[in-house]
Amino acid sequence: MKRTDRYWLRLLATATAFSLFGLGGLVLRFVLFPPLRLIYRDPAVRQRKARDIVQGAFRTFIGFMHITGIYTYRIAGEEQLQRPGQLVLANHPSLIDVVFLISRIPNANCIVKASLFRNPFMRGAVTTAGYIPNDDPEKIIAMAAASLERGESVVLFPEGTRSVPGRAMRLQRGAAYMALRSKVAPTLVTIRCNPPMLMKNVPWYSIPASRPHFDFVVSAGEQLIPLKELQETPLAARKITNQLKTYFTEECAA
């Protein structure tokens, strides 16, 4: 394909952005987060302050990538993400989906790869912010439900990993069990990226020939998933998972 939209400048800006992301992780771990232990003795307050810092850092990162022309984006229904105690479920086409969402959701908890707790760039952020490692399914559900009960929001990708264009979605049932246990109707976020960017098994430097556009559509899931009528059973979890798969498949194709 013909390379347009200042391709080489976008490539240089992308390299700069990812370098800054790694540097930012080190700054959070060694500069910004250590004083929190001295200033805030209450672990819950310290955790909330850490999440506020992460949210601000991610918002700055998203803004940098936008201003430098790496992509454009639109978030429809962004005000719905400001409510506390939400279970936010989204499809997962791109590496930076979670960065977008956390940059917009106050006091957001999320499920992250257990390997990030050993990553020198990210360990400080995920530990101090109290994020949930994905190493134990039952533990994940219990910790997420407890987080929602405390009025925190939880961000989760039901697919468990980034989707592959052209392949049918495969959703795990963890999101359904979280909704059933907490009795919190999910907030659904449909993410579209055209042309695709930062996909699964694609290196960061393989950027699209033209500038991509991210489109986020936020909607409430109360009508889609009537939690009051369901118990926490495998049958109910399967039903909810199928409903979520149908919803995201249809919305992504729209």
Side-chain angles (χ1 to χ4, degrees):
M1 294 178 62
K2 183 179 179 181
R3 292 170 175 173
T4 61
D5 300 325
R6 300 182 178 181
Y7 175 87
W8 296 108
L9 288 179
R10 286 192 291 113
L11 181 60
L12 177 61
T14 302
T16 303
F18 276 87
S19 298
L20 291 175
F21 191 89
L23 178 62
L26 293 177
V27 171
L28 290 178
R29 180 182 177 187
F30 294 109
V31 179
L32 297 181
F33 283 168
L36 295 181
R37 294 185 175 275
L38 300 176
I39 300 173
Y40 304 104
R41 296 294 183 179
D42 187 335
V45 175
R46 185 167 61 243
Q47 184 181 85
R48 175 60 192 265
K49 296 298 180 180
R51 289 177 181 174
D52 290 343
I53 293 174
V54 171
Q55 182 184 16
F58 281 2
R59 197 176 187 105
T60 301
F61 178 75
I62 291 298
F64 174 83
M65 295 186 78
H66 179 240
I67 291 174
T68 54
I70 296 174
Y71 53 63
T72 59
Y73 72 91
R74 178 187 75 102
I75 304 178
E78 181 177 349
E79 66 282 354
Q80 297 186 58
L81 298 176
Q82 306 302 310
R83 295 175 294 155
Q86 297 187 82
L87 175 59
V88 180
L89 305 181
N91 62 305
H92 196 8
S94 169
L95 179 65
I96 57 174
D97 298 332
V98 69
V99 180
F100 263 110
L101 292 175
I102 291 181
S103 74
R104 260 55 188 187
I105 302 173
N107 197 20
N109 198 349
C110 66
I111 292 82
V112 300
K113 291 182 178 179
S115 60
L116 291 182
F117 287 83
R118 301 184 297 273
N119 184 300
F121 296 101
M122 297 302 299
R123 181 169 61 190
V126 297
T127 301
T128 310
Y131 294 151
I132 302 171
N134 67 346
D135 52 359
D136 185 334
E138 179 57 34
K139 183 180 178 181
I140 291 172
I141 295 169
M143 293 180 69
S147 184
L148 291 167
E149 289 178 1
R150 293 192 298 268
E152 303 167 4
S153 291
V154 174
V155 178
L156 177 66
F157 301 105
E159 294 171 270
T161 185
R162 276 173 285 170
S163 54
V164 177
R167 292 187 187 177
M169 288 186 179
R170 298 182 62 182
L171 273 60
Q172 301 178 11
R173 296 182 188 175
Y177 278 112
M178 285 180 198
L180 288 166
R181 185 168 302 185
S182 63
K183 294 300 180 184
V184 174
T187 298
L188 306 176
V189 182
T190 304
I191 306 173
R192 307 184 190 94
C193 180
N194 185 37
M197 175 185 180
L198 300 174
M199 300 173 293
K200 188 177 180 66
N201 300 324
V202 176
W204 65 264
Y205 51 82
S206 183
I207 65 173
S210 59
R211 182 179 294 113
H213 175 75
F214 282 87
D215 196 35
F216 295 77
V217 180
V218 185
S219 61
E222 287 91 345
Q223 295 181 350
L224 178 68
I225 304 174
L227 291 174
K228 295 181 180 179
E229 304 172 7
L230 300 173
Q231 300 297 320
E232 187 181 341
T233 64
L235 181 60
R238 188 184 308 119
K239 179 180 179 180
I240 292 175
T241 302
N242 289 335
Q243 289 174 316
L244 290 173
K245 179 179 178 179
T246 300
Y247 175 84
F248 282 122
T249 299
E250 292 178 350
E251 289 298 310
C252 289

